[in-house]
């Protein structure tokens, strides 16, 4: 009998060969936003390892939307062309290439690639930081400038432009990053959005810009291909964004034709107390799936095949999204299949090992 983890999953015209997705993970290894051999090998290895979907790390839709000077970006042809060998390789290994489109907002302009804990000054090649409101993440981050209405509209166009380039580069899924305290989440959360215009105040107003972007992406991306949205389902803080807000947001995203909610948490303030532990965010994928009636991905300290299988069997999520375990073990799906008693195709070159 096939396990749930290795049961295919159809979304629009795509069929995921199993329920295992590699989470987006910044590598801080790009120059001028351009992917290189590191990205090819890092992402390619995980495709060889048997995951159904490989999501490329947060990729900025404009230069000031990068978290650090080592981030990927996708707003010009040079960047677009450099993604092509990566999407081709992933597809050659029966996996689906996905890309997370992002804007870092007030958490941008970090220096020291791979140790990005320091603000990069303008003199050192840093850049102006923008946000819904002029409120910094904390004292070690830059003071953001409040975005104007014209800039908000231009940003919607930037996301569309990147989506068109993503399609040309060969991607089959886009994931909109509206989590972890970056720009879209900064609009959603009352802890970072102090605006008094139509983009601040009520939840309808705070959702306005993220929903404009989601709508624009859904209209730009081909109807036969899926769009995912990653959210922070809670700020884990009094007065912050809540799971109830996330259900409302997910219902609106569903109305726009978004296919799946990738349910992460946190990131908008540095002082939240997060009860980290195995599967600590699964409850949010489950609640959104049930209450907003949309497919969800569970993410966060899911490391064991049986743990993943239970989540799916209990109908708490539709797919399992994993990050750090894939850094430890790129071939995790091969081990998972073995442990769950399933057959998995391994590359012909590696058959003698199995
Ligand atoms: C090295 C690293 C880079 C990450 N970069 C991103 C990113 O680009 N976008 C994102 O949404 N989350 C990012 N995350 C968060 C992961 O996608 C994931 O949600 C988190 O690590 C929890 O899952 P895990 O317990 O399986 O690692 C990153 C995590 C790690 C460890």
């Amino acid at each position: 009998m096939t396990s749930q983890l290795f049961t295919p999953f159809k979304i629009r015209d795509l069929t995921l060969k199993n329920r295992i997705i590699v989470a987006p993970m910044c590598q801080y290894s790009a120059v001028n936003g351009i992917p290189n051999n590191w990205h090819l090998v890092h992402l390619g290895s995980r495709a060889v390892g048997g995951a159904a979907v490989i999501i490329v790390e947060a990729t900025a839709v404009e230069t000031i939307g990068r978290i650090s000077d080592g981030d990927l970006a996708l707003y010009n042809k040079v960047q677009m062309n450099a993604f092509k060998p990566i999407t081709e390789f992933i597809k050659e290994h029966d996996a689906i290439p996905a890309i997370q489109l992002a804007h870092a907002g007030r958490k941008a302009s970090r220096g020291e690639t791979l140790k990005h804990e320091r603000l990069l000054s303008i003199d050192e090649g840093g850049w102006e930081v923008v946000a819904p409101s002029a409120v910094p993440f904390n004292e070690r981050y830059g003071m953001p400038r409040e975005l104007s209405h014209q800039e908000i509209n231009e940003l919607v166009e930037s996301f569309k432009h990147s989506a068109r380039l993503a399609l040309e580069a060969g991607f089959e899924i886009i994931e909109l990053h509206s989590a972890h305290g970056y720009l879209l989440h900064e609009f959603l959360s009352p802890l970072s959005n102090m605006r008094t215009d139509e983009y601040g105040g009520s939840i309808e107003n705070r959702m306005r810009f993220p929903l404009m972007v989601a709508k624009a992406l859904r209209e730009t991306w081909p109807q036969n291909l899926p769009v995912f949205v990653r959210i922070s389902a809670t700020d884990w803080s009094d007065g912050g964004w809540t799971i109830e807000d996330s259900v409302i947001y997910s219902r609106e995203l569903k109305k726009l034709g978004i296919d799946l909610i990738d349910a992460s948490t946190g990131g908008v303030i540095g002082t939240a107390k997060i009860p980290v532990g195995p599967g600590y965010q699964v409850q949010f994928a489950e609640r959104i799936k049930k209450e907003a009636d949309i497919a969800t991905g569970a993410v966060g300290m899911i490391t064991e095949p049986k743990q993943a299988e239970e989540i799916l069997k209990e109908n708490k999520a539709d797919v399992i999204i994993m990050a750090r375990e894939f850094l430890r073990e790129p071939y995790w799906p091969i081990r998972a299949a073995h442990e769950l008693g399933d057959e998995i195709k391994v590359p012909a070159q590696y058959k003698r090992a199995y």
Side-chain angles (χ1 to χ4, degrees):
M1 210 179 70
T2 310
S3 63
Q4 289 295 311
L5 194 60
F6 288 92
T7 302
F9 183 52
K10 190 164 188 298
I11 328 181
R12 298 207 180 225
D13 283 357
L14 285 186
T15 301
L16 279 56
K17 65 185 171 185
N18 58 47
R19 306 299 179 103
I20 307 165
I21 297 186
V22 178
M25 276 182 280
C26 285
Q27 300 295 294
Y28 306 112
S29 300
V31 176
N32 296 327
I34 304 166
N36 54 46
N37 287 344
W38 175 261
H39 302 92
L40 172 65
V41 173
H42 163 69
L43 298 160
S45 311
R46 277 126 198 107
V48 171
V53 178
I54 319 292
I55 308 181
V56 171
E57 69 192 65
T59 300
V61 299
E62 65 168 352
T63 181
I64 68 164
R66 293 173 302 157
I67 303 165
S68 82
D69 50 357
D71 282 32
L72 288 178
L74 183 52
Y75 50 79
N76 65 37
K77 290 268 177 188
V78 177
Q79 293 154 350
M80 188 277 290
N81 279 320
F83 277 109
K84 282 184 175 170
I86 297 174
T87 61
E88 280 162 17
F89 186 87
I90 291 172
K91 287 179 197 170
E92 276 164 29
H93 290 276
D94 276 338
I96 295 168
I99 186 165
Q100 187 184 52
L101 296 182
H103 193 296
R106 69 179 184 172
K107 287 169 95 176
S109 192
R110 310 302 291 172
E112 297 184 2
T113 301
L114 291 173
K115 286 189 277 145
H116 60 110
E117 63 277 322
R118 196 172 62 85
L119 177 69
L120 203 60
S121 69
I122 304 284
D123 291 345
E124 296 169 302
W127 54 90
E128 187 186 36
V129 174
V130 295
S133 306
V135 184
F137 179 66
N138 64 30
E139 67 286 355
R140 295 188 303 280
Y141 280 71
M143 172 59 80
R145 182 175 57 71
E146 179 179 310
L147 284 165
S148 70
H149 285 194
Q150 190 189 330
E151 286 171 319
I152 287 173
N153 290 328
E154 284 165 4
L155 272 166
V156 175
E157 292 306 311
S158 301
F159 273 96
K160 278 166 81 167
H161 179 61
S162 295
R164 283 189 213 104
L165 290 173
L167 188 69
E168 201 177 339
F171 287 101
E172 294 178 307
I173 299 175
I174 39 175
E175 175 171 274
L176 174 60
H177 199 349
S178 87
H180 301 168
Y182 297 112
L183 187 65
L184 269 60
H185 184 189
E186 289 161 18
F187 270 85
L188 294 171
S189 176
L191 300 176
S192 45
N193 183 342
M194 311 295 160
R195 296 179 77 102
T196 52
D197 60 4
E198 64 263 43
Y199 295 100
S202 66
I203 182 169
E204 287 71 29
N205 282 357
R206 282 179 281 118
M207 289 193 302
R208 193 177 308 280
F209 171 60
L211 291 175
M212 280 162 66
V213 177
K215 182 168 185 278
L217 288 187
R218 190 55 277 180
E219 285 167 2
T220 307
W221 202 241
Q223 281 305 306
N224 62 327
L225 297 176
V227 178
F228 297 176
V229 176
R230 176 165 262 200
I231 69 167
S232 278
T234 171
D235 286 341
W236 300 107
S237 277
D238 288 344
W241 179 261
T242 65
I243 174 62
E244 288 76 23
D245 295 334
S246 292
V247 170
I248 296 170
Y249 183 39
S250 301
R251 285 187 186 136
E252 293 303 316
L253 290 167
K254 185 186 171 178
K255 280 188 213 157
L256 296 176
I258 297 304
D259 299 283
L260 183 139
I261 304 295
D262 171 355
S264 187
T265 67
V268 88
I269 52 163
T271 50
K273 297 225 167 0
I274 305 183
V276 177
Y280 70 108
Q281 296 175 147
V282 175
Q283 54 178 313
F284 303 111
E286 180 180 16
R287 232 177 117 182
I288 291 164
K289 181 172 165 60
K290 301 218 159 103
E291 295 183 25
D293 191 26
I294 187 166
T296 60
V299 63
M301 291 191 73
I302 302 168
T303 54
E304 291 306 315
K306 289 200 173 73
Q307 178 194 14
E309 180 67 8
E310 281 304 303
I311 294 166
L312 297 172
K313 259 196 185 148
E314 291 169 8
N315 207 24
K316 292 178 173 168
D318 297 275
V319 294
I320 302 296
I321 303 173
M322 293 167 41
R324 286 163 295 178
E325 189 59 15
F326 268 112
L327 298 185
R328 292 183 280 262
E329 199 178 345
Y331 299 163
W332 187 88
I334 300 178
R335 172 164 74 85
H338 182 71
E339 279 187 35
L340 298 174
D342 270 301
E343 288 281 321
I344 187 172
K345 205 173 124 201
V346 295
Q349 294 91 331
Y350 290 179
K351 277 231 170 89
R352 286 181 66 183
Y354 290 92

